[in-house]
Amino acid sequence: MKEPASHANPPVDGSELIRFDHVTKRFGSNTVLDGLDFSVDAGKHVTLIGPSGSGKTTILRLLMTLVKPDEGTITVAGDQLFPASEKQVREVRKKIGMVFQQFNLFPNMKVLRNITEAPVTVLGMSKDEAEQRARELLDLVGLADRCDAYPTQLSGGQQQRVAIARALAMRPQVLLLDEVTSALDPELVAGVLDVLRDIARTTDITMLCVTHEMNFARDISDQVLMFDSGHVIETGPPEKIFGDPEHERTREFLGAVL
Ligand SMILES: Nc1ncnc2c1ncn2[C@@H]1O[C@H](COP(=O)(O)OP(=O)(O)O)[C@@H](O)[C@H]1O
Ligand SMILES: [Mg+2]
């Protein structure tokens, strides 16, 4: 199961990989992020928690350059995202893999092809190499025997595990996970979280994770950011945030979700 640590440009462990400086994002008159500052070091697992509608998905979408900030700067591995040329944006996107709440697999492609498609077309990997890598990743997510299935033949949990394999196939430096178990039937959640625990334990990939699964967050996180009203209101190791939160708002939130 050991995943080789082989990125094109491995970041020095502990160096800053993601940085938000005074980032403000508005939708019309709704200020969703209000001068947000935070950073994530290479190789770390950071979990974002906070109420629904507080802007967590927006943070991930900014990193994917799917939306633009109104103010402030965002850098990934030292490259500023806005403004950036199309070429720079493509380079940054290659460094980032994202898995969403909805699995979004290509329905007309078998599982194996779902995983090999982007490495072949975007990275220029040979079909053989991409398939070999895809089989290793399917093994990692416990689906080595489902290469030839179509997505609709899989459970939601299996589809989400394929989506995780697909994201890893691009050898990203960062994996963004946005409530990846929220759309699953309860009995399928544990299998997906176990795969993510394995990835956190056995790879050097940086993880930025939005989740309401607090036990999972406690297990994998180096750092937890409690987020509300456009700001990080409290941050610390999971023992601190879950065991002895300082902020009243954090206590209320954890009381409601735990
Ligand atoms: N494309 C958009 N257009 C208008 N409003 C948006 C858009 N995306 C998000 N919002 C608003 O921004 C706020 C934060 O949303 P989101 O980042 O999805 O929060 P979270 O992921 O924490 O639930 C919400 O009020 C949401 O309605
Ligand atoms: Mg969200």
Side-chain angles (χ1 to χ4, degrees):
M1 292 278 277
K2 182 88 183 156
E3 173 71 359
S6 50
H7 304 301
N9 290 303
V12 180
D13 195 34
S15 66
E16 196 173 78
L17 191 57
I18 295 171
R19 182 179 186 87
F20 277 57
D21 271 310
H22 304 299
V23 172
T24 294
K25 176 64 191 172
R26 299 182 197 93
F27 291 108
S29 60
N30 182 7
T31 301
V32 176
L33 307 178
D34 186 11
L36 176 67
D37 292 309
F38 77 95
S39 63
V40 178
D41 286 350
K44 297 294 184 199
H45 308 141
V46 174
T47 301
L48 276 174
I49 61 171
S52 181
S54 64
K56 303 179 301 296
T57 294
T58 301
I59 291 172
L60 303 188
R61 288 172 55 82
L62 282 162
L63 279 165
M64 291 295 283
T65 63
L66 297 171
V67 287
K68 283 191 178 125
D70 295 294
E71 288 158 36
T73 56
I74 301 172
T75 50
V76 175
D79 291 327
Q80 193 166 319
L81 291 193
F82 308 95
S85 67
E86 271 184 37
K87 181 165 178 292
Q88 282 170 303
V89 166
R90 272 201 304 277
E91 290 305 312
V92 170
R93 279 201 186 164
K94 276 190 208 164
K95 293 179 186 161
I96 304 176
M98 183 156 180
V99 182
F100 304 87
Q101 194 171 327
Q102 296 299 342
F103 341 116
N104 299 322
L105 296 176
F106 305 119
N108 58 329
M109 293 180 192
K110 290 179 177 177
V111 163
L112 194 71
R113 175 100 187 277
N114 259 280
I115 301 172
T116 58
E117 182 70 7
V120 169
T121 58
V122 180
L123 301 182
M125 204 181 274
S126 75
K127 191 160 169 270
D128 281 355
E129 190 188 350
E131 288 192 356
Q132 193 194 330
R133 167 93 180 134
R135 288 177 201 282
E136 286 167 18
L137 288 168
L138 283 170
D139 193 35
L140 181 79
V141 302
L143 291 170
D145 56 343
R146 302 313 306 269
C147 292
D148 291 322
Y150 283 97
T152 51
Q153 297 172 311
L154 303 178
S155 73
Q158 290 173 328
Q159 290 185 52
Q160 195 58 303
R161 285 186 274 149
V162 173
I164 292 165
R166 183 174 64 174
L168 292 177
M170 294 295 283
R171 300 189 188 281
Q173 290 179 12
V174 190
L175 188 60
L176 306 179
L177 301 163
D178 193 4
E179 301 194 31
V180 298
T181 57
S182 296
L184 296 178
D185 290 334
E187 75 273 21
L188 302 176
V189 169
V192 172
L193 295 181
D194 282 347
V195 162
L196 293 173
R197 280 192 183 89
D198 261 356
I199 292 167
R201 200 176 57 239
T202 62
T203 75
D204 61 0
I205 200 161
T206 307
M207 290 165 80
L208 182 55
C209 181
V210 176
T211 185
H212 295 297
E213 297 287 340
M214 296 301 156
N215 288 325
F216 168 73
R218 195 191 290 255
D219 289 349
I220 67 142
S221 305
D222 296 296
Q223 193 189 1
V224 179
L225 306 178
M226 170 66 197
F227 186 75
D228 193 23
S229 309
H231 304 274
V232 174
I233 59 170
E234 181 163 1
T235 172
E239 312 82 69
K240 176 80 178 71
I241 300 292
F242 295 120
D244 183 24
E246 253 158 49
H247 211 283
E248 179 55 30
R249 192 69 197 89
T250 312
R251 283 197 289 271
E252 270 172 30
F253 174 74
L254 291 174
V257 295
L258 283 175

